[in-house]
């Protein structure tokens, strides 16, 4: 998962044949090292079609998801394992390297009270089973810490590390996101330092999820901390331009966060790449 990539939400959140062709062509145009594919409906994905497209363009990939309510691991660990198994198989069949994101729960999952040990035990049990299956398919799993408004279970790097250590599998890693870190961490660099032994993937997302460089994320602090720990994982720009209503609802995005693709890719992408080069990360 090394290099610089982009979340395919820039072009589509529907990974059908049309969406795959559009997103892969655009990623190649912008000379991305990899793409992150949102698996909102894994069973419907034509894995063979995607794999052939990715191989044709020599483009690497990772996949990501959040669990649907009927498969929230904190409540329904067995259903979570079933859902993740399908997604892991589809990830492997596409030739992707990892399945990451909110693999422990749902975007919008909140009970209204602090997390319980039972919830964490259920999640750990589900992820242990999922990691075992993922290893047979050569897939790594990423646990993404997301902010308190989207999920009540894993909000900080420390909580992600704690869950990974509970799971105890060597193919599970921490996935951080600068948007969430800007809300939850006591200094973005602290989150990176806490996760350093497990961190393999990071979303580079602005404070409003729009164009990187035009918000409040402390980018120099982020990149300096990544350089300090010798980060060799995936750097993935994530800006939300195309979202179906159910995703926008879960993320609480009620207005356009950027003008269009041209603004994000023309201004935000060079900004992030130049910073990464400045700090010796690419």
């Amino acid at each position: 998962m090394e290099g610089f990539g982009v979340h395919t939400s820039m072009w589509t959140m529907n990974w059908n044949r049309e969406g795959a062709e559009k997103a892969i062509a655009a990623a190649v145009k912008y000379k991305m090292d990899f793409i992150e594919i949102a698996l909102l409906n894994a069973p419907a994905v034509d894995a063979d079609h995607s794999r052939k497209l990715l191989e044709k363009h020599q483009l690497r990939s990772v996949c990501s998801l959040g669990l649907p309510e009927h498969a929230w691991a904190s409540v329904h660990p067995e259903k979570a394992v079933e859902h993740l198994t399908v997604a892991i198989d589809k990830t492997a069949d596409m030739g992707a390297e990892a399945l990451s994101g909110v693999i422990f729960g749902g975007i919008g999952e909140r009970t209204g009270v602090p997390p319980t040990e039972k919830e964490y035990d259920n999640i750990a049990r589900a992820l242990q089973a999922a990691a075992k299956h993922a290893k047979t398919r050569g897939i790594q799993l990423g646990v993404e810490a997301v902010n308190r408004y989207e999920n009540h279970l894993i909000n900080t790097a420390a909580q992600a590390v704690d869950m990974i250590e509970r799971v105890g599998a060597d193919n599970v890693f921490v996935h951080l996101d600068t948007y969430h870190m800007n809300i939850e961490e006591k200094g973005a660099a602290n989150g990176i330092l806490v996760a350093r032994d497990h961190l393999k993937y990071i979303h580079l997302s602005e404070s409003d999820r729009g164009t990187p460089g035009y918000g409040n994320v402390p980018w120099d602090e982020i990149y300096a901390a990544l350089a300090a720990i010798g980060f060799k994982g995936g750097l993935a720009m994530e800006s939300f331009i195309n979202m179906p209503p159910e995703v926008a609802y879960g993320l609480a995005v009620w207005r356009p966060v950027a003008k269009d693709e041209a603004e994000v890719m023309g201004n935000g992408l060079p900004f992030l790449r130049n910073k990464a080069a400045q700090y010796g990360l690419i």
Side-chain angles (χ1 to χ4, degrees), residues 162-193:
D162 180 69
M163 179 53 63
I164 284 171
E165 291 180 348
R166 286 188 188 218
V167 172
D170 61 7
N171 61 328
V172 184
F173 61 88
V174 171
H175 169 172
L176 293 181
D177 182 311
T178 57
Y179 168 79
H180 301 299
M181 294 165 68
N182 192 52
I183 296 171
E184 297 294 346
E185 302 293 346
K186 296 184 185 301
N190 289 336
I192 291 168
L193 294 175

Side-chain angles (χ1 to χ4, degrees), residues 81 84-85 88-89 92 99 103 123-141 167-172:
V81 174
L84 288 169
T85 297
I88 288 164
D89 287 340
L99 175 66
I103 64 170
I123 292 169
R125 190 165 77 253
L127 293 184
Q128 284 167 349
K132 184 177 180 179
H133 178 67
K135 194 159 189 175
T136 69
R137 298 302 312 270
I139 297 299
Q140 297 186 66
L141 297 180
V167 172
D170 61 7
N171 61 328
V172 184

Side-chain angles (χ1 to χ4, degrees), residues 181-238:
M181 294 165 68
N182 192 52
I183 296 171
E184 297 294 346
E185 302 293 346
K186 296 184 185 301
N190 289 336
I192 291 168
L193 294 175
V194 166
R196 63 188 303 163
D197 293 335
H198 302 281
L199 181 61
K200 292 187 178 181
Y201 198 73
I202 186 166
H203 277 162
L204 304 175
S205 187
E206 193 46 271
S207 57
D208 65 348
R209 288 196 146 123
T211 305
Y214 287 68
N216 301 318
V217 169
W219 292 109
D220 285 296
E221 181 181 345
I222 295 286
Y223 279 109
L226 291 171
I229 67 168
F231 181 74
K232 300 296 183 185
L235 300 158
M237 185 177 79
E238 184 184 48

Side-chain angles (χ1 to χ4, degrees), residues 35-50:
I35 55 171
E36 180 182 331
I37 300 166
L39 287 186
L40 300 187
N41 185 10
V45 171
D46 186 337
D48 186 60
H49 175 259
S50 293

Side-chain angles (χ1 to χ4, degrees), residues 2 8 25 30 37-38 40 67 78 102 113 115 127 197-198 225-226 242 245 250 262 274-275 277-278:
E2 293 184 8
T8 54
Y30 287 108
I37 300 166
L40 300 187
L67 295 176
E78 293 81 10
V102 192
V113 295
L127 293 184
D197 293 335
H198 302 281
L226 291 171
N242 295 286
N274 289 339
K275 282 289 181 188
Q278 176 186 344

